[in-house]
Amino acid sequence: MSELDQVRDHLDQVNQDILKLINERAKLVQQIGDIKAKQSINRFDPVRERDMLDKITSSNDGPFENATIEHIFKEIFKASLELQEDDHRKALLVSRKKKPENTVIDINGANIGDGSVHFIMGPCAVEGYEQVASVAKAVKDKGLKLLRGGAFKPRTSPYDFQGLGLEGLQLLKRAADEHDLAVVSEIVNPAHIEKALDYVDVIQIGARNMQNFELLKAAGDVNKPVLLKRGLSATISEFINAAEYIISRGNENIILCERGIRTYEKATRNTLDISAVPVLKQETHLPVMVDVTHSTGRRDLLLPTAKAAIAIGADGVMAEVHPDPAVALSDSAQQMDIPTFNQFMEEIVDMSNRMK
Ligand code: PEP
Ligand code: MN
């Protein structure tokens, strides 16, 4: 064997030794991560890192400079920390790693998450009995099972219509009961959750409250499905963690709802992050719906975005329907009137049939 080959052999052996040692080190770091998780201690500890680097460089006798050694070890530390974070993600209760099969939520006979497409339709806000009753009839006539309507409206301006509150929930429930529909309505105050249980079949948590942790905990403490909407500027990871707040209290009946996020684009009210649907379906076991109304803010885009949602694998579509959108007290530019809604449903059913 030539001298070069001999040295190369030796080098290969050293590489193997380093590999074994860094993986051995990684296992120790994982053990430390588990101990820290039990004690709720932060995983990243800069004081400990500095101490380790000092010990390493003080016994360094080259040929590498201390700065180079620090750089190399810092990379190893960083990779180990990322490993702990991966383990952490693996452990989330909403994750598919934790539960591989889909969560299916039976709401009034609609099995959300069962692979077929479901619809949540209704006005932006409950404005009166006649208004919700006419929409409820249209929704029922299309064979749908879920009626939406806001009673507590979290409006951007305090001077805009704030909703009818409890009276709104009562009107919505009356109209829904008359047509055998389930009620989906937003609750904004943790103290209202208990009372709302008498009127709603699904507690909606709106985009503006996605990180209202007290509200998430209160919704997690009750036995009622939750429709959790993505925050205005929330990352997918923040969205998933918001759902984790709910499930960690014992309520696993959560529907995630992509409703567009804030970007620089002005052509639509928000930017529908359509790829969030397959990402959420892969990362979590929860059903995922798409709200085409608030993501686009444009009536002409409701149908194409609903089709895109279905094509990409969403478990359902939410949209707003009002008997006379022009006089609606909120979101008048984007609600469908009843004939438009009928046409919308016909085209969607037609598309779903063609996909089968
Ligand atoms: C709603 O669905 O009524 C609503 C206010 O939507 P978001 O919370 O997504 O803005
Ligand atoms: Mn609205």
Side-chain angles (χ1 to χ4, degrees), residues 165-184:
L166 188 61
E167 190 202 340
L169 285 186
Q170 289 162 342
L171 295 175
L172 187 62
K173 172 142 177 71
R174 192 176 131 206
D177 282 350
E178 283 165 6
H179 294 92
D180 189 27
L181 297 169
V183 169
V184 182

Side-chain angles (χ1 to χ4, degrees), residues 32 36 41-52 74 77 81 84:
I32 292 173
K36 284 186 170 180
I41 307 176
N42 208 338
R43 288 183 166 80
F44 177 59
D45 181 349
V47 177
R48 167 74 182 142
E49 275 209 1
R50 172 44 55 213
D51 183 47
M52 285 195 291
K74 189 67 204 162
F77 295 172
L81 203 62
Q84 287 186 347

Side-chain angles (χ1 to χ4, degrees), residues 48 52 209 242 266 355:
R48 167 74 182 142
M52 285 195 291
N209 273 315
K266 293 276 176 275
M355 273 175 62

Side-chain angles (χ1 to χ4, degrees), residues 124 148 153 294 320 331 334:
C124 180
R148 65 151 283 147
K153 296 300 297 174
H294 296 96
E320 289 180 347
D331 286 353
Q334 61 213 48

Side-chain angles (χ1 to χ4, degrees), residues 196-323:
L197 299 179
D198 297 339
Y199 303 101
V200 304
D201 300 288
V202 178
I203 298 166
Q204 179 171 320
I205 296 185
R208 287 156 195 80
N209 273 315
M210 189 206 81
Q211 282 188 322
N212 180 338
F213 299 115
E214 295 310 313
L215 185 61
L216 297 173
K217 288 186 214 164
D221 284 339
V222 294
N223 184 21
K224 192 67 96 172
V226 178
L227 180 92
L228 177 66
K229 301 189 85 177
R230 182 175 181 180
L232 303 169
S233 304
T235 63
I236 289 177
S237 163
E238 287 163 342
F239 190 19
I240 290 175
N241 273 291
E244 187 72 9
Y245 264 87
I246 300 170
I247 203 172
S248 66
R249 308 287 282 212
N251 186 355
E252 78 152 16
N253 292 326
I254 307 162
I255 303 162
L256 300 174
C257 183
E258 161 62 35
R259 47 80 70 209
I261 48 174
R262 179 163 296 179
T263 69
Y264 52 79
E265 184 52 66
K266 293 276 176 275
T268 48
R269 176 168 163 180
N270 289 289
T271 299
L272 173 58
D273 181 8
I274 196 73
S275 56
V277 176
V279 173
L280 291 166
K281 295 286 297 175
Q282 279 166 31
E283 298 254 328
T284 81
H285 52 78
L286 302 174
V288 180
M289 294 187 85
V290 172
D291 171 350
V292 290
T293 298
H294 296 96
S295 50
T296 64
R298 283 176 52 165
R299 205 174 287 123
D300 61 329
L301 298 182
L302 301 178
L303 185 60
T305 47
K307 286 181 175 174
I310 294 167
I312 210 165
D315 295 290
V317 172
M318 176 191 261
E320 289 180 347
V321 184
H322 190 287

